[in-house]
Amino acid sequence: MNSPFWTVHPVYSSNIIVSGVTILAPVNSANTDGINPDSSSNVLIEDCYIISGDDCIAIKSGWDEYGIAFHTPSRHILIRRLTCISPTSAAIALGSEMSGGIQDVHAEDILAIDTESAIRIKTSVGRGGYVRDVYVRRMKLKTMKYVFWMTGDYGNHPDNHYDPGAVPVIEGISYSDVTAENVTLAGQMQGTRKVVFKGLCLSNVKIGMAKGVKRRTAWNCTGIEGTVSSVSPSPCSMLRDVGCGRACPFPKERFPIERVRCCEE
Ligand SMILES: *[C@@H]1O[C@H](CO)[C@@H](O)[C@H](O)[C@H]1NC(C)=O
Ligand SMILES: *[C@@H]1O[C@H](CO)[C@@H](O)[C@H](O)[C@H]1NC(C)=O
């Protein structure tokens, strides 16, 4: 309860299970993230209940030139059965510190209530690294500012020594089977000319907009590329509609951490 900063923070670690943990922090407290796997691999986070003033879960891997030099990704992370309340942040954030790379993230059965966004990917020129092969399915969302949020110019550098040529690669991001109610903006997806979010896939997404919000302005996109199938309200034209019934992939591959059995007395 009431951690002054990130609550559970495995860093440079591997083979981690966080199971059945409740984390509570005031919803108006900054930086009180719930669980932050940071340059860590083979992580299972399941059956957690988190109320926070910052991201419920945030996956990270180092900041600009320091993260590039340390070069240690966060990989093979499975998040399942998460319940999140975070009025000013995301249920699951990727970044903004992602300079060591983030890859192979699976998330499923996510319930978020009164949360600013479901999944947020945030990065900037100078970060380098990558975020790729992220698969999310079965999210139920209620009262949310943005369901899908992507930010390619987050800024926020540790100092002035970052490399402006270190352009992050963001590709292969899939979201499927999402229902949401009382949403202000379905997608706030802002890549930039240099940081394009590529290979996005959205399928079977039903978003109920908040009262007074026009469906026509439900999506605000720049610098993104991808495809959609059965998404309502109908998304921006940068997401090409491939017709209904074309589900985004969700890999059958299981991570080694999913095969761990805990012994009970
Ligand atoms: C809808 O969301 C607004 C905040 O954007 C909130 O004040 C309101 O209570 C929500 N309505 C319902 C029915 O949950
Ligand atoms: C879209 O997002 C950009 C970047 O945040 C913002 O400047 C712009 O006003 C938004 N447009 C609309 C129509 O909301």
Side-chain angles (χ1 to χ4, degrees):
M1 277 185 71
N2 301 338
S3 166
F5 198 68
W6 305 348
T7 309
V8 177
H9 181 206
V11 58
Y12 313 142
S13 303
S14 57
N15 303 328
I16 298 156
I17 297 179
V18 182
S19 182
V21 175
T22 297
I23 296 174
L24 307 174
V27 290
N28 57 357
S29 55
N31 300 315
T32 54
D33 294 13
I35 304 168
N36 293 29
D38 190 354
S39 292
S40 291
S41 56
N42 216 22
V43 180
L44 169 62
I45 299 170
E46 61 179 10
D47 301 303
C48 290
Y49 174 57
I50 301 172
I51 304 180
S52 174
D54 214 318
D55 302 320
C56 285
I57 293 178
I59 302 174
K60 299 181 183 277
S61 68
W63 202 4
D64 287 2
E65 67 273 23
Y66 305 104
I68 293 169
F70 205 74
H71 197 60
T72 307
S74 277
R75 278 195 78 175
H76 295 136
I77 296 178
L78 170 63
I79 299 162
R80 60 186 175 199
R81 300 184 300 268
L82 167 71
T83 302
C84 169
I85 298 177
S86 173
T88 60
S89 291
I92 301 174
L94 305 163
S96 78
E97 307 90 321
M98 39 60 72
S99 303
I102 296 175
Q103 187 165 9
D104 299 316
V105 175
H106 298 178
E108 58 190 16
D109 301 305
I110 309 299
L111 172 64
I113 304 153
D114 197 8
T115 293
E116 188 177 32
S117 69
I119 310 284
R120 182 171 190 198
I121 302 180
K122 40 188 178 176
T123 187
S124 247
V125 163
R127 290 284 192 281
Y130 52 83
V131 176
R132 58 183 172 230
D133 304 328
V134 174
Y135 299 91
V136 182
R137 66 179 172 189
R138 299 195 301 257
M139 292 198 288
K140 280 206 169 77
L141 313 166
K142 181 156 194 303
T143 302
M144 185 156 282
K145 195 166 173 192
Y146 315 118
V147 173
F148 306 109
W149 195 5
M150 299 180 180
T151 309
D153 63 348
Y154 191 72
N156 201 19
H157 300 287
D159 54 38
N160 293 326
H161 304 303
Y162 66 89
D163 173 4
V167 175
V169 174
I170 314 296
E171 62 187 357
I173 315 286
S174 287
Y175 303 120
S176 52
D177 306 331
V178 178
T179 57
E181 285 173 42
N182 199 21
V183 167
T184 310
L185 209 54
Q188 171 71 350
M189 302 162 105
Q190 250 68 56
T192 68
R193 200 167 50 80
K194 279 189 161 177
V195 186
V196 179
F197 292 72
K198 284 186 226 146
L200 308 183
C201 182
L202 273 63
S203 68
N204 189 25
V205 174
K206 286 188 192 64
I207 298 175
M209 304 306 293
K211 249 177 134 175
V213 175
K214 293 191 180 68
R215 291 166 65 89
R216 182 166 55 73
T217 55
W219 301 81
N220 183 7
C221 313
T222 45
I224 61 165
E225 296 169 12
T227 59
V228 297
S229 170
S230 308
V231 173
S232 137
S234 142
C236 45
S237 58
M238 291 167 201
L239 297 172
R240 192 168 50 89
D241 197 329
V242 293
C244 48
R246 300 269 300 271
C248 301
F250 193 98
K252 288 202 168 59
E253 177 203 4
R254 305 193 119 223
F255 302 143
I257 197 76
E258 295 178 63
R259 293 195 289 267
V260 173
R261 291 278 167 274
C262 298
C263 304
E264 289 180 18
E265 292 192 15

